[in-house]
């Protein structure tokens, strides 16, 4: 935990070295970073680590127990190697998560900046964000996925769009706060235009909030992808996805549970990594915050 | 207060109206054709056109929307294109299931969450806090639908403690109804318990460090009295808000839970109508869920200002 007795910082952003040092002192944050490293390595190196292509079937060896020679995590109903599928599924989860975060940032940050700076735009943008927030997140994601159709790109787009309104809110609130600050007033008095003020003064100071929000979106998008795929609205078979593996496993779980255990553990580790790291990062970036859930 | 109430009511009505447009347009944007789904792939074009005219699908979208709106305002949500049953009747049978599930889950979440939050704040830096925080973090990270599948296998099938699926109406047999919903409600409530735990903990930590708590302790008041009467009571304001905001999300979250446990709720109806392109059912169901979400948010906002008068309403809230 961070020390709460520290004097309140006047400039919210902290130097990179300081943040890293604070993160290093937080055991939960270190654990999260290590988990993330393992998960990302597993996803990136999936083609190297996986002994089989994820969709390769072995009809002669279905329902192998974990620990069988050649199939470390066992096989599923079609004899597909669960270890290979978990690796590729992790890769898919990370791809969808990353794309969703990118989309939410690319669309949400400029809109949030504009809404916080220009009052006229604010009415329009905030209403739009409010309208999107009127739908529960899961329902919005399911609806968008049903309209966009399945597949990795479409799932990422649906989850990214569903995350835009919260990003707008965060950036808008930061912009409102910063636009009133003395250094923006000083910049304005030196005849700085809106682009200069937003780009050089507001955005860099809002960066920490944006990064923290990104660490909130990432696990939500990973879980969202799994839910959509589980419901049949996300990744389409035979493409590997942890959510599809769980949905498949549910159909034959009375014969063997193992093909359903490993993808769940993988999902939990990904999300735990992002949650731990995100919490620690928030504490490190802002000494005032006591970590709280959304 | 009166003006604020009016303002919020008006705002919610506008949001709901806009949401209905979005839902209507969104449902029409779904790939696929309900007439084709009804008539089958081999239907001849004339029969298909006749069916479209009968369903009103041949008219311009704004006309279709206005007709839908006019009927909806009189309580007529149309009929399912798949079964022909009135949509209001379908919602009438499925919504109570989901509401029971959501309320039961919320009760579990509040009880477990406040208990964990109080423990964590009272025993700061000691093992009960680590335990409670660890549980909360795990509950937020583990996909609950995965937990649901595991629970079905272990608790329901192998140990036989709970039924694996099914639903019993509380009107027929209240005890069995609770018994059948316990496992799904626990699974649905776990993640929300984590949110309540974190919220309770952080506001309890603030409350216990405040001056009035120190004064109470200085007066010689017992530890339990201070924790519950001064700490918890003040934290409940924040917890109420969180609980309200979560309740709307719970109804949407029931989509997955109902699928795992085979419950005939509104979440199952949503998914079924998505896959069968049942426009009237889908738009009504999404509107009902969204509408209840908006109404709950409104109630929470109003309740919040009643509980805590310090909250002032400004035009540009942060």
């Amino acid at each position: 935990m961070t020390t709460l007795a520290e004097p309140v910082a006047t400039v919210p952003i902290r130097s990179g070295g300081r943040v890293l040092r604070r993160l290093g002192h937080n055991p939960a944050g270190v654990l999260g970073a290590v988990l993330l490293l393992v998960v990302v390595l597993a996803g990136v190196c999936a083609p190297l680590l996986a002994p089989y292509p994820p969709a390769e079937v072995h009809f002669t060896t279905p329902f192998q127990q974990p620990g069988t020679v050649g199939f470390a995590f066992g096989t599923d109903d079609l004899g597909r190697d669960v270890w290979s599928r978990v690796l590729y599924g992790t890769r898919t989860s990370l791809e969808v998560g990353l794309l969703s975060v990118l989309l939410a940032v690319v669309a949400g940050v400029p809109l949030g900046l504009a809404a916080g700076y220009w009052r006229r735009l604010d009415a329009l943008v905030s209403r739009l964000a409010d309208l999107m927030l009127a739908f529960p997140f899961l329902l919005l994601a399911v609806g968008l996925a049903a309209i966009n159709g399945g597949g990795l790109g479409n799932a990422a787009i649906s989850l990214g769009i569903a995350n835009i309104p919260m990003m707008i809110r965060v950036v808008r609130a930061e912009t409102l706060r910063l636009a009133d600050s003395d250094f923006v007033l000083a910049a304005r008095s030196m005849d700085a235009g809106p682009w200069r003020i937003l780009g050089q003064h507001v955005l860099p100071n809002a960066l920490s909030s944006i990064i923290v929000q990104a660490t909130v979106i990432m696990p939500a998008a990973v879980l969202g992808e799994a839910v959509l795929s589980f419901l049949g609205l996300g990744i389409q078979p035979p493409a590997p996805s942890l959510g599809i593996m769980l949905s498949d496993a549910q159909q034959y779980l009375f014969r063997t549970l193992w093909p359903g255990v490993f993808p769940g553990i993988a999902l939990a580790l990904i999300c735990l990594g992002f949650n731990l790291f995100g919490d620690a990062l928030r504490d490190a970036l802002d000494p005032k915050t006591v970590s709280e859930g959304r | 207060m009166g003006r604020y109430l009016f303002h919020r009511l008006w705002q919610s009505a506008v949001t709901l109206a806009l949401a209905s447009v979005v839902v209507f347009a969104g449902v029409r944007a779904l790939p696929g054709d309900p007439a084709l789904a009804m008539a089958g792939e081999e239907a001849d074009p004339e029969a298909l056109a006749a069916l479209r005219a009968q369903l009103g699908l041949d008219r311009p979208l704004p006309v279709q929307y206005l007709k839908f709106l006019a009927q909806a305002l009189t309580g007529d949500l149309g009929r399912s294109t798949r079964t022909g049953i009135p949509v209001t009747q379908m919602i009438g049978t499925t919504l109570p299931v989901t509401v029971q599930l959501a309320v039961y889950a919320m009760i579990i979440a509040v009880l477990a969450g406040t208990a964990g939050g109080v423990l964590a704040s009272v025993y700061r830096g000691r093992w009960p806090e680590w335990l409670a925080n660890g549980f909360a973090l795990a509950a937020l990270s583990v996909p609950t639908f995965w937990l649901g599948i595991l629970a079905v296998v272990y608790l329901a099938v192998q140990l036989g403690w709970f039924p694996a699926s099914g639903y019993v109406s509380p009107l027929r047999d209240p005890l069995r109804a609770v018994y059948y919903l316990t496992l799904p409600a626990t699974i649905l409530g776990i993640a929300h318990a984590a949110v309540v735990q974190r919220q309770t903990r952080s506001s309890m930590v603030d409350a216990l460090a405040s001056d009035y708590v120190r004064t109470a302790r200085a007066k010689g008041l017992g530890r339990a009295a201070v924790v519950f009467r001064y700490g918890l009571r003040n934290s409940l304001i924040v917890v109420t808000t969180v609980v309200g905001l979560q309740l709307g999300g719970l109804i949407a979250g029931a989509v997955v839970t109902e699928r795992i446990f085979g419950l005939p709720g509104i979440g199952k109806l949503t998914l079924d109508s998505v896959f069968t392109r049942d426009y009237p059912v889908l738009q009504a169901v999404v509107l009902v869920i969204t509408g209840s979400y908006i109404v709950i948010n409104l109630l929470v906002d109003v309740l919040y200002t009643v509980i805590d008068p310090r909250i002032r309403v400004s035009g540009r809230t942060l």
Side-chain angles (χ1 to χ4, degrees), chain A residues 8-200:
Chain A
V8 173
T10 41
V11 181
I13 190 131
R14 318 186 143 263
S15 67
R18 178 114 187 253
V19 171
L20 275 183
R21 194 146 27 88
R22 289 173 68 108
L23 267 177
H25 284 304
N26 185 339
V30 173
L31 179 64
V34 171
L35 270 179
L36 282 189
L37 195 70
V38 171
V39 165
V40 169
L41 272 179
V44 170
C45 305
L48 299 173
L49 294 170
Y52 306 96
E56 189 176 288
V57 292
H58 308 267
F59 286 121
T60 49
T61 51
F63 296 127
Q64 295 292 308
Q65 289 292 309
T68 314
V69 177
F71 304 107
F73 281 10
T75 58
D76 65 6
D77 57 332
L78 299 176
R80 292 175 294 194
D81 181 38
V82 172
W83 166 239
S84 304
R85 285 177 68 73
V86 165
L87 285 173
Y88 276 96
T90 303
R91 190 186 172 91
T92 307
S93 294
L94 293 175
E95 280 171 353
V96 171
L98 212 60
L99 285 173
S100 314
V101 169
L102 263 178
L103 179 59
V105 168
V106 166
V109 170
L111 282 172
L113 284 173
Y117 196 76
W118 289 288
R119 270 164 185 259
R120 286 191 180 194
L121 262 173
D122 186 23
L124 183 72
V125 173
S126 285
R127 285 276 52 186
L128 205 69
D130 283 349
L131 182 61
M132 285 175 79
L133 286 172
F135 297 93
F137 174 77
L138 190 64
L139 194 67
L140 190 61
V142 165
L144 285 168
I147 294 170
N148 286 338
L152 192 150
N154 285 335
I157 291 173
S158 305
L159 291 163
I161 293 176
N163 272 306
I164 290 175
M166 275 317 283
M167 185 57 98
I168 291 180
R169 281 220 171 157
V170 167
V171 176
R172 173 182 169 273
E174 281 293 285
T175 310
L176 276 180
R177 184 176 69 81
L178 292 165
D180 276 344
S181 62
D182 291 339
F183 59 84
V184 166
L185 194 67
R188 199 174 286 153
S189 71
M190 286 186 275
D191 202 23
W195 296 112
R196 197 182 166 81
I197 290 176
L198 286 178
Q200 295 214 335

Side-chain angles (χ1 to χ4, degrees), chain A residues 138-139 142 231, chain B residues 251-259 267-268 270-271:
Chain A
L138 190 64
L139 194 67
V142 165
L231 296 174
Chain B
I251 294 177
V255 173
V256 183
T257 315
E258 285 170 11
R259 159 100 170 220
K268 186 178 181 300
T270 311
L271 277 185

Side-chain angles (χ1 to χ4, degrees), chain B residues 38-125:
Chain B
M38 274 173 83
E41 295 287 338
E42 269 110 60
D44 63 301
E46 268 175 49
L48 214 56
L51 191 59
R52 278 212 187 90
Q54 188 200 330
L55 293 173
L57 292 173
D58 54 343
R59 313 247 208 103
L61 278 185
V63 176
Q64 286 187 42
Y65 173 72
L66 288 178
K67 189 167 166 252
F68 161 70
L69 196 65
Q71 284 184 339
L73 288 176
T74 61
D76 176 14
L77 291 169
R79 284 168 181 275
S80 159
T81 53
R82 194 163 52 99
T83 59
I85 301 172
V87 176
T88 41
Q89 193 185 323
M90 293 172 94
I91 290 176
T93 53
T94 53
L95 189 60
V97 179
T98 305
V99 169
Q100 283 168 50
L101 178 66
V103 170
Y104 194 0
M106 200 75 250
I107 292 172
I108 291 173
V110 169
L111 289 181
T114 37
V118 169
L119 266 183
S121 62
V122 172
Y123 296 97
R124 271 204 94 181

Side-chain angles (χ1 to χ4, degrees), chain A residues 119 122 127 131 133-136 138 146-147 172 176 223 227 230-231 246 253-254 260-261 264 271-272 275-276 279, chain B residues 11 15 18-19 23 26 30-31 137 141 143 145-146 149 153-154 157 198 252 256 259 271 275 290 293 316-317:
Chain A
R119 270 164 185 259
D122 186 23
R127 285 276 52 186
L131 182 61
L133 286 172
F135 297 93
L138 190 64
I147 294 170
R172 173 182 169 273
L176 276 180
L223 275 186
V227 169
F230 178 77
L231 296 174
L246 288 177
L253 47 77
F254 300 116
V261 170
C271 294
L272 191 65
N275 284 337
L276 282 173
D279 281 359
Chain B
Q11 215 176 18
T15 309
L18 287 175
V23 169
L30 285 179
L137 196 65
S141 303
F145 65 104
W146 178 58
I149 297 172
V153 172
Y154 280 118
V157 177
R198 292 184 144 205
V256 183
R259 159 100 170 220
L271 277 185
F275 286 118
T290 308
Y293 192 58
R316 274 165 77 90
T317 44

Side-chain angles (χ1 to χ4, degrees), chain A residues 220-247:
Chain A
V222 167
L223 275 186
E225 182 273 315
V227 169
L228 290 182
S229 302
F230 178 77
L231 296 174
L233 293 164
I235 311 292
Q236 298 299 315
S241 150
L242 299 173
I244 292 180
M245 292 179 75
L246 288 177
S247 152

Side-chain angles (χ1 to χ4, degrees), chain A residues 203-267:
Chain A
L203 187 60
N205 283 301
L207 213 54
S208 58
S209 298
I210 296 171
I211 293 172
V212 168
Q213 183 60 23
T215 65
V216 174
I217 295 177
M218 188 74 188
V222 167
L223 275 186
E225 182 273 315
V227 169
L228 290 182
S229 302
F230 178 77
L231 296 174
L233 293 164
I235 311 292
Q236 298 299 315
S241 150
L242 299 173
I244 292 180
M245 292 179 75
L246 288 177
S247 152
D248 287 347
Q250 205 194 359
Q251 286 162 20
Y252 47 78
L253 47 77
F254 300 116
R255 278 201 64 172
T256 172
L257 189 61
W258 292 111
V261 170
F262 295 113
I265 293 176
L267 269 176

